[in-house]
Amino acid sequence: MIHLKNEEEIELIRVANQLVSKTLAEVGRAIKPGVTTMSLDTLAEQYIRDNGGIPSFKGYEGFPSTLCVSVNEEVVHGFPSDYVIKEGDIVSIDCGAIVKGFNGDSAYTFPVGEIAPETQELLDVTKESLYKGIAAAKVGGRIGDISFAVQNHVESHGMGVVREMVGHGLGREMHEDPQVPNYGRQGSGTKIKDGLVICIEPMITQGSRHIVFGENGWTVSTKDHKPAAHYELCVACTQSGVKVLSTFKYIDPTAMY
Ligand code: MG
Ligand code: MG
């Protein structure tokens, strides 16, 4: 069941998403060779709590930490650990927080120092595909318009769209209807109505789109061990246009959103 949001609810979801966006920027500043992924998690939890939020991932269906930290061939749901980040890594951070009963949820893949040119292309194409998805979102359209825009951009660059995990509605719950796949046909799927709030989150692979689950039952990696990237923003679709409720501008002031 889809819960359409009114203006007041959209504003509250924006507040939660702004905290998540600022947390991602804080974490991004701490990512450098020599630090552990666990230290990023500690920092994120402290930052969220200091700013009046509650980490939403911690304890969610048994997930152990505030952040999902997924390095290189890990796509999503990586566990923070004693892994030491090194030059040339890419580090995907997914973060969620609850403020005043509403959820924020966003993700960003950070390059560490100098990365391989083809990996930089993966990051660029994944972020662009998210922006294309946002541009395709409008009241009166359908979820498939967003899905198609993401898939078309990614596959035209010879990269893979992970099918097993998808974007989602966001509100009082972290995962609400509808699902927002990163592949699909224009004009298909749920109709986008005034007040629909969704997270669009392409999970993109440099090589084959096929994935494997890790021994912890959570962490998703590419089957071919090639890198993967993940960017996520939250948007509210309204009669007066699409409002992007989270932002990458705290990470990169020149970002489009
Ligand atoms: Mg999400
Ligand atoms: Mg997320």
Side-chain angles (χ1 to χ4, degrees):
M1 183 182 160
I2 294 170
H3 299 280
L4 298 172
K5 276 78 181 180
N6 61 30
E7 237 172 86
E8 192 185 343
E9 290 168 321
I10 289 172
E11 177 56 23
L12 287 163
I13 300 168
R14 193 187 70 80
V15 168
N17 271 295
Q18 291 295 308
L19 175 55
V20 169
S21 300
K22 287 175 185 169
T23 307
L24 285 177
E26 285 295 313
V27 169
R29 279 189 275 279
I31 293 177
K32 46 177 164 292
V35 309
T36 66
T37 56
M38 185 57 86
S39 73
L40 304 176
D41 194 70
T42 307
L43 184 158
E45 178 168 5
Q46 194 64 51
Y47 187 82
I48 289 169
R49 294 192 190 280
D50 285 351
N51 288 280
I54 300 164
S56 55
F57 294 179
K58 203 167 186 169
Y60 183 88
E61 292 180 6
F63 192 80
S65 49
T66 294
L67 300 177
C68 299
V69 185
S70 308
V71 180
N72 297 334
E73 75 268 24
E74 293 174 346
V75 184
V76 287
H77 304 163
F79 285 15
S81 71
D82 57 6
Y83 174 81
V84 177
I85 291 169
K86 61 182 193 309
E87 172 94 12
D89 282 347
I90 57 170
V91 182
S92 298
I93 305 287
D94 196 350
C95 182
I98 300 168
V99 181
K100 293 182 180 161
F102 284 87
N103 278 271
D105 181 16
S106 284
Y108 196 91
T109 302
F110 295 91
V112 183
E114 193 84 2
I115 62 170
E118 61 270 30
T119 309
Q120 185 60 53
E121 195 192 353
L122 169 69
L123 302 194
D124 294 342
V125 168
T126 306
K127 200 188 291 174
E128 288 158 12
S129 75
L130 168 57
Y131 294 164
K132 300 231 177 226
I134 292 171
K138 61 171 188 294
V139 170
R142 292 196 181 256
I143 294 295
D145 303 340
I146 300 168
S147 307
F148 173 82
V150 172
Q151 180 181 17
N152 187 47
H153 187 68
V154 169
E155 292 184 350
S156 72
H157 286 82
M159 297 174 191
V161 174
V162 172
R163 305 286 207 271
E164 290 82 350
M165 279 86 50
V166 296
H168 51 89
L170 187 77
R172 288 193 180 275
E173 302 296 328
M174 180 164 58
H175 293 135
E176 297 186 359
D177 288 337
Q179 294 198 340
V180 184
N182 296 304
Y183 62 96
R185 286 180 296 111
Q186 279 174 309
S188 72
T190 303
K191 200 162 185 185
I192 299 172
K193 293 185 179 162
D194 185 38
L196 183 74
V197 176
I198 50 173
C199 289
I200 305 174
E201 49 176 318
M203 288 154 265
I204 304 305
T205 62
Q206 192 175 289
S208 147
R209 67 177 175 81
H210 295 289
I211 55 156
V212 291
F213 282 85
E215 279 174 16
N216 62 24
W218 278 94
T219 305
V220 172
S221 298
T222 58
K223 201 172 177 183
D224 62 10
H225 304 291
K226 289 192 177 166
H230 179 209
Y231 291 89
E232 174 178 21
L233 288 170
C234 175
V235 303
C237 305
T238 76
Q239 215 62 260
S240 51
V242 164
K243 299 180 170 112
V244 184
L245 304 180
S246 51
T247 181
F248 296 150
K249 288 183 192 289
Y250 299 121
I251 296 166
D252 171 10
T254 69
M256 188 182 293
Y257 296 112

